[in-house]
Amino acid sequence: DSAVTVVFKEAAGGLRTRDGLSPASFALAATDGVFKSASARIIDLEKLELRADGVQNPVHIRYAWADAPRVNLTDSEDLPAFPFRTDAF
């Protein structure tokens, strides 16, 4: 599939965005390691669904992994999600 679900276990009160827009600054890659900008949508209190054009069977995720990324993902207490990555290269 071309979608991946990310679960945030410590999202007090649920996920939201500060600006009411879709969560920003996500990227996905398949096994080739080529990251492409991903669209994100909140699907329940602690889950996001990510998709990126041209990335089939994504296996790597990055969030806010850039210089001065635009970030807007928080929990209900307005605490921001921290940058992370699932790859090690």
Side-chain angles (χ1 to χ4, degrees):
D1 194 353
S2 62
V4 65
T5 301
V6 180
V7 179
F8 290 80
K9 293 185 178 185
E10 301 295 326
L15 297 170
R16 66 181 193 87
T17 59
R18 286 189 172 135
D19 54 12
L21 301 174
S22 297
S25 295
F26 281 93
L28 292 177
T31 55
D32 62 5
V34 177
F35 281 88
K36 297 191 178 182
S37 180
S39 62
R41 71 181 184 99
I42 298 170
I43 56 176
D44 75 15
L45 290 177
E46 59 184 28
K47 294 179 185 173
L48 295 179
E49 180 183 79
L50 306 176
R51 293 180 181 273
D53 289 339
V55 179
Q56 293 295 316
N57 301 313
V59 295
H60 303 293
I61 304 165
R62 289 182 178 175
Y63 171 66
W65 208 255
D67 292 335
R70 182 179 79 80
V71 294
N72 61 353
L73 184 62
T74 69
D75 65 13
S76 66
E77 296 177 5
D78 208 31
L79 295 172
F82 289 102
F84 69 87
R85 68 183 196 175
T86 62
D87 62 282
F89 50 89

